Amino acid sequence: MYMYTLLRKSVSCSFVFNGIFFFIILLNHIRKSTKKCISTRRPVFASSKDQIGESCNVSGGKWIWDNKTYPVYTEESCPYLSNQTCCQRNGRPDSFHQKWRWQPDGCNLPWFDPLKLLDILSGKRLMFIGDSIQRGQFESMVCMVQSVIPEGKKSFQTIPTMEIFKAEEYNASIEFYWAPFIVESISDHATNHTVLKRLVYLDSITNQGKSWQGVDMLVFESYAWWIHGSSDDIKEYNVTTAYRWALETWANWLESNINPLTQKVYFMSMSPKHLRSWEWKPGSNENCFNESYPIQGSYWGTGSSFTIMKIIQDILQELKIDVTFLNITQMSEYRKDAHTSVYGERRGIPLTKEQRADPKKFADCMHWCLPGVPDTWNEILYAHLLQNHRNFL
């Protein structure tokens, strides 16, 4: 084995009696039977307006200021957000980053309807697989749907390597699985994964794969953890070589374990960083701290890799099953304003006042505030899920 180091609608029950009372024993039987409430939830239909045409390139477009419809939830309205993503709770003075809408060129994204999504997920599991960036997208999706589910009809639990949100009336779940490299590594513990030397088993995926088998909708992501680390005594591979090998292992697992008739697989492109302000503001020497507006005009920073993008596309083209590529990189490149910066956490601990005063050293320009950019990623995922929805009119 080789090792690589890098770094509802509410349920309504109605019962009609004809006013005739029978024997006491029968009356008691009726009373007991009426307690068995049957859901009258009706299917939510998706109209033609919810479809995106095959010619619609949702990854190309621009950010439009929209403070009337965004954000679609708030930190206060969603109890499932982690401290890592709650920028305003952690002291961010503005909320501008929450009020931008992504407008694709030449087409529109369907408006996110949580009831329609829950109908799609009825009796199914949607699982996000990846690192802390992917956890943010998972939290975003939970927040986007949870408000329409009555109290007592939803639950949230954390188990080793996983977080699970359930909409009980729909028998649906939205889940997160911690797998920062997708393949196996010594950083696969959900909370205790900070190590000096990251070892990745490029040809091993069996252990994680057991938890993915039979899941109806799988959304994979892996990038940030590949660009750190070093080692002196373990054979190292070039990042791109190792990344390709890992994705080939993943692709082999998909072809052996996925039923394309009953399961859907998606792969998220890389989430960019904004570490060097001179890339969008020549002459400056800062990072994403204190940025309030998206980048205007053409932009691609050093926080993203064309080579990695090409590897992903090559692997997906070679696959014998369909995997939908969700390209969120370019739209996210513009959003230097939406990172957690000094308003998040460092290794699970909020930054101190002294650390916040030193943004060049402590600003997090990789993770995203919520509400924020990951909400748009989920709007794009939602649009693709609707494409396969059985109830199109």
Side-chain angles (χ1 to χ4, degrees), residues 47-60 104-110 324-325 380 382-388 392:
S47 71
S48 58
K49 294 181 179 179
D50 293 316
Q51 301 183 63
I52 51 173
E54 294 183 1
S55 62
C56 178
N57 176 19
V58 298
S59 63
D105 293 331
C107 56
N108 295 306
L109 286 173
T324 301
F325 182 52
I380 293 172
Y382 168 74
H384 284 279
L385 292 173
L386 276 174
Q387 290 294 91
N388 301 303
F392 267 124

Side-chain angles (χ1 to χ4, degrees), residues 8 25 31 72 92 103 105 113 125 131 141 197 226 242 313 321 324 327 335 358 366 368:
R8 226 162 129 61
I25 190 170
R31 285 173 176 168
V72 296
R92 177 163 178 161
Q103 178 59 59
D105 293 331
D113 186 332
R125 299 169 64 194
D131 55 26
M141 183 65 90
K197 297 179 179 180
W226 290 93
Q313 292 171 342
I321 65 171
T324 301
N327 188 351
R335 297 305 306 274
D358 188 6
M366 177 177 70
W368 303 91

Side-chain angles (χ1 to χ4, degrees), residues 200-257:
V200 182
Y201 303 91
L202 297 175
D203 59 354
S204 182
I205 198 172
T206 304
N207 287 338
Q208 290 106 310
K210 293 177 182 177
S211 298
W212 309 338
Q213 289 179 335
V215 176
D216 303 278
M217 303 159 195
L218 295 156
V219 186
F220 291 90
E221 174 271 341
S222 182
Y223 173 64
W225 279 59
W226 290 93
I227 57 177
H228 300 287
S230 62
S231 176
D232 298 326
D233 55 355
I234 301 296
K235 184 174 182 180
E236 296 190 24
Y237 293 89
N238 174 275
V239 173
T240 54
T241 301
Y243 191 84
R244 180 182 292 276
W245 192 340
L247 284 198
E248 287 174 348
T249 299
W250 167 76
N252 290 334
W253 182 89
L254 290 179
E255 291 178 347
S256 299
N257 292 275

Side-chain angles (χ1 to χ4, degrees), residues 10 45 51-52 186 203 264 296:
S10 59
F45 287 88
Q51 301 183 63
I52 51 173
I186 64 170
D203 59 354
K264 297 294 182 182
Q296 301 296 321

